[in-house]
Amino acid sequence: MSDEKHPEMCWGGYYVVYNVLLLLTILTFAFSYVHLGPHAVNIAVALVIAAVQGSLGLFFMMGMRHEDRLSKGVFLFCACLFTIAVMVTLTDFVFLGTYSVSHQVAQVMHGLADAAVGQ
Amino acid sequence: MEMTANATEAAFHRKRADMRRFGMWLFLGSEVMFFTGFFAAYIVIRSASAGSIVQPLNKALGTLNTVILITSSFTMALAVLASKKGDRKGLVNWMGLTWILGVVFLCVKGVEYAQHFSEGIYPSTDIFHAFYFLFTGFHALHVIAGLVVMGVLWFRARRGDFNETYNDPIEMMGLYWHFVDLVWIFLYPALYLL
């Protein structure tokens, strides 16, 4: 496609990307044992690291940066839909605390109501 | 006259290679959408549950598999590089190593599955394990499909079917294999760590 226009990444380039990917994997693993506050923060950090790893794989290992606009557009459109889907559903998850609290409050209210009816 | 014919033929092959690559990216885009549905459903189920649905998995095996897949992605990239340089020996060796790493990945996954089954954990056990088996099962199917095609390409590479000018199938294989690796990079924290 554009192999003629862009120089191919060399052995050393792939080696650097490979090492960075391994390093980020170790980092993700290490972060799973560190409590950064609310659980949502850990999730956000892990997803950001995964996104960085994904971008490295996509642009360097798969050579996306050398593709033509149409191929880039098609794949990145799907990747954007994936990001939107994850972000929208994660919004719920981030507010899981709120959900849990409201759920617990509702249970307490039910309990109080039952107690009042019992009396 | 002959030079013009050669130039036309080269342009034709280039155009065909362009179309193949575009087709491959289109296919990978559809695969992203396939996994998007699973991810969204998984997050919704997790957030909709009052308590945590997550059950502990074997982090060590999950991390080992991640390292194996990332390494296989690296060796696949070197196989593609060798094919572009017309290095037949390099192509055969690197692709062979990638294939072996893919098989090792499946073996580790098999060990994990065997552990679950011996503990009486099945997809029907709970919602988390239903997702776990669904995610990893579909991913493993992708790995198996990749290994079958890679095996065929390996034999063709040994036979000398690929050179500097004709290596599209190797490139397509590389794209697919890197994609399988990318999917796992997102599955790993979602299932094993969070």
Side-chain angles (χ1 to χ4, degrees), chain B residues 34-114:
Chain B
F34 175 77
F35 282 102
T36 296
F38 287 155
F39 269 101
Y42 176 63
I43 296 169
V44 167
I45 292 291
R46 274 188 69 163
S47 60
S49 309
S52 176
I53 61 162
V54 182
Q55 303 292 323
L57 293 172
N58 193 329
K59 278 187 187 182
L61 288 183
T63 309
L64 175 66
N65 256 350
T66 309
V67 171
I68 289 169
L69 262 198
I70 289 175
T71 308
S72 78
S73 206
F74 172 60
T75 55
M76 190 67 221
L78 295 183
V80 173
L81 196 64
S83 79
K84 284 183 176 174
K85 286 179 179 169
D87 175 10
R88 192 170 121 189
K89 197 181 163 196
L91 169 62
V92 170
N93 288 344
W94 287 121
M95 203 156 65
L97 189 55
T98 309
W99 194 88
I100 290 168
L101 287 168
V103 172
V104 173
F105 172 86
L106 287 179
C107 289
V108 174
K109 191 104 290 285
V111 168
E112 241 183 297
Y113 274 21

Side-chain angles (χ1 to χ4, degrees), chain B residues 167-188:
Chain B
N167 50 39
D168 299 344
I170 305 292
E171 270 195 73
M172 302 302 110
M173 185 68 239
L175 286 179
Y176 178 81
W177 196 255
H178 294 313
F179 176 77
V180 169
D181 177 34
L182 289 195
V183 171
W184 183 260
I185 280 174
F186 282 93
L187 283 184
Y188 166 64

